[in-house]
Amino acid sequence: KVSLVERRMFMKHKSKLLMIPLCLSLCIGCTTPNKPTNNKVYIEETMHTSLPDSLNAFSISSFSRLWQQDQNLLYSPYSAYLALALCSNDAIDETQQQLLHALCYKGDIQDLNQQLVKELNTLSQQNVQSNTSIWNDQNVTLSQKLKDASSLYQSDIFTRDFKKSSLTSEINRWIQSNTNKKLTFQQPVSKNTAIIYFNTLYLQDRWDTPFDKKNTKTDTFTTSNQKQIQTSFMHTSRSGYYMDKENYEAINLPLEKGGQMLLFLPKEHQNPLDILKDPAWISQFYETNDTKMLNISLPSFTLKQDYSLTNMLSSMGVNRALSKTDAQFLSKNDHEPLYLDDMHQGTYLAVNEEGIEAAAYSEIEMKTGSAFMESVDIQFNRPFLYTIVSAQGTPLFIGYIENPTA
């Protein structure tokens, strides 16, 4: 049986069209035994010892808990994964086990650290910028395990007086400097906050063959509730991989530096949930051998979002870390125990004729507690899924376009 990683690397080498340092697509769930509803579907979790498989499973699982059919969504599972992995180094016993389970990782935290460091080095060579930082109040004593992990991740550590009002501005400057000023941080730091973990992710890349702006025209995009919207559509004809499934079509748009954008278009009168019920809906694309002449019509769009990931964590079985009385973390605030109070993410994506620009930050806030080819026309003129992946197939960003003008 050929592994997912081997299939990805095979595709990377079998055509110049499929060199991958980033790829854009939408993800859903490896999840809990909750029953599907009309607008949700959770897929049973799978645990993995390899980082690529763990990241893919986490991406699918976490996205399924965030997606809503009538709303745009841009989510970075990779950024969330890194922030949670760093935080997990300070956790012990069942708290750490639950965090690693949410990450779909079966193994030792030190092994995960080593795999992540290799992945980060690979991404940096592909011009994907990832940065982590730890902000702690001056009264907090960071554990040695957390200090060792921060050194391994090359994380910045900022010790500050969290009571000063200037802290938010300083954090915002750090976020902006690592996201090309595409994202801002404006949340006030509460008085009992002890540690804040951050990861930022930024990439900018051109299509290997840009769209001609002369071909961009206004056309109609139809939302899932049949609302018709006039928006700008980019047009191009090019050869590329094409997958035709019962419920959807999928193509790839290669980027100059090796990544790609994967696009998944539900067929007419098909619900995106019909795609998301299959936990392999993204990975199946790497198995396709079919190339076509693609006549592509794709809306240009810009998204900027901000949302909490705390409920997502809870639904993935992270209970002890979120408990004021039962959390098990080594770092202390004046000898008082800490717990995970909130996880937050901000994201940005612009897709235009020249290429893509994407940014994300993930924040974890710790507080003090009491404890010749056939021609195919494919028009993305209705809601569709997308993902940005690395050359190794790591899902960096995942999303859903319900309305490209929203």
Side-chain angles (χ1 to χ4, degrees):
K1 184 178 179 179
V2 181
S3 72
L4 176 59
V5 175
E6 289 172 330
R7 290 198 300 269
R8 288 170 176 166
M9 297 310 295
F10 171 68
M11 288 192 69
K12 177 181 177 182
H13 292 293
K14 77 176 179 179
S15 171
K16 292 182 180 179
L17 288 176
L18 262 186
M19 297 176 65
I20 314 171
L22 305 172
C23 179
L24 192 62
S25 132
L26 172 121
C27 271
I28 174 166
C30 73
T31 79
T32 61
N34 295 18
K35 294 182 179 180
T37 64
N38 291 333
N39 61 355
K40 283 288 184 184
V41 56
Y42 291 162
I43 297 173
E44 187 177 355
E45 295 176 323
T46 55
M47 307 302 292
H48 305 274
T49 56
S50 76
L51 179 62
D53 291 335
S54 169
L55 274 164
N56 188 68
F58 171 77
S59 300
I60 301 267
S61 177
S62 56
F63 185 83
S64 69
R65 293 160 164 80
L66 299 173
W67 180 77
Q68 296 184 45
Q69 184 167 339
D70 59 349
Q71 296 179 11
N72 291 334
L73 177 59
L74 174 62
Y75 164 59
S76 175
Y78 188 76
S79 177
Y81 192 102
L82 279 170
L84 285 168
L86 180 58
C87 177
S88 297
N89 281 271
D90 196 46
I92 59 172
D93 300 335
E94 189 177 4
T95 298
Q96 185 181 83
Q97 293 170 16
Q98 289 181 357
L99 287 168
L100 292 178
H101 189 273
L103 293 174
C104 298
Y105 185 76
K106 182 180 180 180
D108 183 83
I109 185 65
Q110 299 304 323
D111 293 335
L112 178 58
N113 289 340
Q114 295 297 330
Q115 292 189 65
L116 274 172
V117 169
K118 290 180 181 179
E119 172 76 10
L120 288 168
N121 289 337
T122 300
L123 287 181
S124 65
Q125 296 170 10
Q126 300 164 0
N127 205 35
V128 180
Q129 302 171 28
S130 177
N131 294 278
T132 56
S133 65
I134 301 171
W135 300 69
N136 64 280
D137 184 70
Q138 59 188 4
N139 295 318
V140 169
T141 303
L142 298 180
S143 69
Q144 189 58 49
K145 286 188 176 181
L146 183 55
K147 292 178 181 178
D148 292 343
S150 68
S151 177
L152 198 62
Y153 285 52
Q154 298 184 0
S155 302
D156 297 319
I157 297 181
F158 301 99
T159 300
R160 299 290 187 269
D161 182 355
F162 275 22
K163 296 181 179 63
K164 289 189 175 181
S165 59
S166 59
L167 179 61
T168 298
S169 296
E170 186 178 1
I171 292 175
N172 182 53
R173 288 193 295 272
W174 187 86
I175 295 291
Q176 287 194 313
S177 67
N178 288 297
T179 61
N180 196 30
K181 297 184 178 180
K182 298 303 177 184
L183 295 172
T184 59
F185 180 82
Q186 298 177 331
Q187 301 177 72
V189 178
S190 63
K191 61 181 181 179
N192 60 334
T193 300
I195 301 175
I196 309 176
Y197 298 94
F198 280 104
N199 169 266
T200 59
L201 193 64
Y202 178 79
L203 67 99
Q204 186 173 24
D205 205 350
R206 291 173 54 86
W207 306 120
D208 72 340
T209 304
F211 291 79
D212 189 340
K213 292 183 179 180
K214 295 179 182 178
N215 295 330
T216 297
K217 297 178 175 61
T218 300
D219 209 334
T220 302
F221 185 99
T222 305
T223 68
S224 58
N225 60 9
Q226 301 306 305
K227 180 180 179 181
Q228 293 191 332
I229 298 164
Q230 297 299 301
T231 191
S232 295
F233 279 80
M234 309 179 293
H235 299 272
T236 191
S237 295
R238 60 172 301 153
S239 61
Y241 285 97
Y242 173 75
M243 185 168 66
D244 187 7
K245 305 291 284 187
E246 179 181 357
N247 298 322
Y248 66 95
E249 302 169 277
I251 64 170
N252 72 308
L253 289 177
L255 295 160
E256 276 188 347
K257 296 169 184 173
Q260 58 182 331
M261 183 173 190
L262 305 183
L263 295 153
F264 301 82
L265 181 67
K267 291 186 176 179
E268 292 279 3
H269 310 301
Q270 291 289 333
N271 192 310
L273 281 178
D274 296 330
I275 302 175
L276 302 180
K277 289 175 183 177
D278 183 358
W281 66 272
I282 295 178
S283 60
Q284 284 180 351
F285 186 83
Y286 297 105
E287 301 174 354
T288 185
N289 295 312
D290 198 9
T291 56
K292 304 285 186 184
M293 179 58 66
L294 304 172
N295 302 317
I296 303 168
S297 177
L298 177 70
S300 57
F301 60 91
T302 299
L303 293 179
K304 191 173 183 179
Q305 297 189 328
D306 193 277
Y307 42 84
S308 173
L309 301 179
T310 309
N311 289 338
M312 177 197 83
L313 282 181
S314 179
S315 71
M316 297 174 77
V318 178
N319 300 314
R320 292 204 64 150
L322 292 166
S323 171
K324 293 182 179 180
T325 57
D326 295 330
Q328 301 157 300
F329 290 97
L330 295 171
S331 298
K332 307 294 180 184
N333 184 15
D334 278 344
H335 306 290
E336 292 188 36
L338 306 180
Y339 72 98
L340 197 163
D341 179 69
D342 186 40
M343 186 170 185
H344 196 86
Q345 187 170 99
T347 53
Y348 170 88
L349 173 65
V351 176
N352 56 36
E353 291 87 351
E354 295 181 354
I356 66 170
E357 184 176 20
Y361 79 80
S362 297
E363 174 211 13
I364 296 175
E365 189 170 338
M366 309 293 297
K367 290 187 177 181
T368 301
S370 60
F372 187 57
M373 297 180 286
E374 175 186 356
S375 177
V376 175
D377 295 339
I378 182 161
Q379 297 185 0
F380 290 84
N381 57 2
R382 53 190 182 273
F384 59 90
L385 310 175
Y386 61 91
T387 185
I388 297 176
V389 299
S390 75
Q392 289 69 44
T394 300
L396 302 175
F397 289 86
I398 299 178
Y400 172 73
I401 292 298
E402 166 70 20
N403 180 351
T405 65

